[in-house]
Amino acid sequence: MNQTKYIFVTGGVTSSLGKGIIAASLAKLVQARGYRTTIQKFDPYINVDPGTLNPYEHGECYVTDDGAETDLDLGHYERFLNVPTSQANNVTTGRVYLSVIEKERRGEFLGKTVQVVPHITNEIKERMQLLGKSGEFDIVITEIGGTVGDIESLPYIESVRQLVWELGENNGIVVHLTLVPFLAAAGELKTKPTQHSVKTLMESGIKADILVCRTEHELSDELRQKLALFCNVKREAVIQSIDASTIYEVPNLMLEEGLDLVALKKLNLPEKASPDLTNWNLFLHRLKNPKHTINIGLIGKYVELQDSYKSILEAFIHAGAANETKVNVVSVHSEHLDALNCAEKLAGLDGILVAPGFGERGIEGKIEAVRYAREHKLPFFGICLGMQMAVIEYARTILGYSDANSTEMNPATTHPVIDLMEEQKNITDKGGTMRLGSWNCTLQPGSLAHKIYGVSQISERHRHRYEFNGLYLNALQEAGLKASGTNPETGLVEIVEIENHPFFIGVQYHPEYKSTVANPHPLFVRFVAAAVQTKK
């Protein structure tokens, strides 16, 4: 194939309809037919990346191997496709404008007046085609964030219009996702919001090639015919996307609706083989037919918003299926935990995960949760800040350093067992300056980590500023907290664990970012298995 083909996914009527899941499902299907596929997300907000956004604002910040702080949708792309994404897969308005302004300052526009059209739109189009021009992909799917009609989305919509025209017939298509609401009072589904959304898109010069309709009820043939007629699409291009019990069912639902076939036909591409979803469906079968049920306490400070810990929740789904176990994740707000109510609040749990986070709020509750898990021999898994809390708890309780802390929480502590990295001390900018992306780690032979991974060298993704303070390494190791994984270049401690415990491990990195349907993360798989054993 000579030319990369492009699919653009836009949304209308309301946000949060699941453009990312539709994009990932379509990508999964064309990938399963043998096409090399990737997905990218263009976000209309002015932040340069989501790295400085509060999780309450935007859900978790997802990190790629190359250290890009990105939108959480990239996590879905990786989990579905089992292909790593990169800096190029997520672009924000902030990044686009930053790049154009820097070019203007360097005089690259030769004194021209810099405008949204053509300069901003050219920058967007260039980035939209970046992955396609690498020669690695047959099909590039681009999800446009926000909703058609939003002021901030206009430059993206205009860029799509221009690009589809420039690419020529059969090389670029638009999939438009809308809502077909059910009005209980009238007892019927309403197509008008979709019609208006498609009209708004057409006013911007874009004709939707495929209409994907989110709905709670089956769309009748009559309704599909009506949508096709009034929205200017072929009847077979009206695709129903009905609510599913899990996002992992969506590729099968889209296969039944023929979304991939319609898209390939419009791109003038051969169908190739039928999609091979054998392993995917084996995973789904295990997910839906568990043999065990366990309760895992997720101790965090952003628990009100599920998306704050999206990758962790998905990693539990993957690991649960691998163990044929339903994992009930019980959210526990660390701010409401203390030494007095810990036993009561954590009763009935089969394992405890202390979640990542930043800042002082809710810290003491996390430390109490670690102590409870350690003393009650309850499987414990600490991620990033969770690992640091395990170190602080051990230093306080076992070594007797009563004010042991991280200098992030208490700069005046006399026992800074967690401290700011030397190279971080003079940094004032917050965005993109942490230890980010993939770093190597050497595992101690015979350690629990070594047994779980089955290899002695691993690479995992990071997102943090503070580290285990090496000055306390010997004291903590002699007291029984083992450093079982270290970075070979810097010697920084990456993993701590305790022996003679069903499962007690803390990691400085984020294993949840690398868990996919095809490759559930081994740490999560073993943690779930340990919780199942504990329950028995």
Side-chain angles (χ1 to χ4, degrees), residues 311-433:
S311 293
I312 290 175
L313 298 178
E314 297 305 318
F316 272 128
I317 290 173
H318 309 153
N323 284 288
E324 297 184 88
T325 299
K326 178 169 170 51
V327 181
N328 290 325
V329 178
V330 182
S331 296
V332 181
H333 204 304
S334 58
E335 250 188 313
H336 307 151
L337 266 186
D338 55 43
L340 299 175
N341 67 15
C342 210
E344 177 200 340
K345 293 239 181 202
L346 304 180
L349 296 178
D350 306 304
I352 285 175
L353 183 142
V354 176
F358 293 91
E360 195 181 349
R361 188 171 64 88
I363 287 305
E364 294 302 323
K366 288 188 173 187
I367 293 169
E368 281 304 323
V370 177
R371 188 177 63 81
Y372 182 87
R374 186 178 57 76
E375 292 177 351
H376 289 78
K377 295 271 197 256
L378 204 57
F380 164 80
F381 189 8
I383 296 178
C384 197
L385 186 68
M387 173 265 208
Q388 297 177 359
M389 297 301 105
V391 173
I392 293 168
E393 189 279 325
Y394 211 83
R396 286 184 187 180
T397 315
I398 306 298
L399 289 177
Y401 301 160
S402 60
D403 80 328
N405 216 323
S406 162
T407 50
E408 181 185 6
M409 321 309 166
N410 177 11
T413 172
T414 59
H415 292 289
V417 290
I418 304 295
D419 199 9
L420 198 55
M421 290 182 283
E422 207 49 51
E423 63 268 28
Q424 289 281 343
K425 288 189 174 167
N426 299 318
I427 287 176
T428 51
D429 281 4
K430 290 277 185 265
T433 55

Side-chain angles (χ1 to χ4, degrees), residues 28 31 77-84 514 516-519:
K28 179 77 209 162
Q31 182 195 54
Y77 306 163
E78 290 199 11
R79 289 188 278 274
F80 274 58
L81 295 182
N82 204 36
V83 175
K514 286 182 83 166
T516 68
V517 169
N519 291 311

Side-chain angles (χ1 to χ4, degrees), residues 478-489:
E478 281 164 21
L481 186 71
K482 302 292 181 206
S484 57
T486 49
N487 179 274
E489 286 85 40

Side-chain angles (χ1 to χ4, degrees), residues 133-144:
K133 286 176 176 169
S134 69
E136 288 176 47
F137 303 106
D138 305 316
I139 298 172
V140 174
I141 299 178
T142 304
E143 180 194 341
I144 306 294

Side-chain angles (χ1 to χ4, degrees), residues 201-221:
L201 196 60
M202 290 184 85
E203 283 168 359
S204 304
I206 296 177
K207 178 188 176 302
D209 295 284
I210 299 172
L211 209 52
V212 178
C213 306
R214 268 304 295 272
T215 172
E216 295 171 8
H217 301 271
E218 294 280 340
L219 299 182
S220 67
D221 203 55

Side-chain angles (χ1 to χ4, degrees), residues 11-16 19 43-45 93 144-158 197 200-201 204:
V13 185
T14 166
S15 58
S16 303
K19 286 193 300 291
D43 266 314
Y45 51 78
T93 295
I144 306 294
T147 314
V148 169
D150 296 348
I151 290 174
E152 56 262 36
S153 298
L154 289 174
Y156 291 110
I157 297 297
E158 171 58 15
S197 176
T200 305
L201 196 60
S204 304

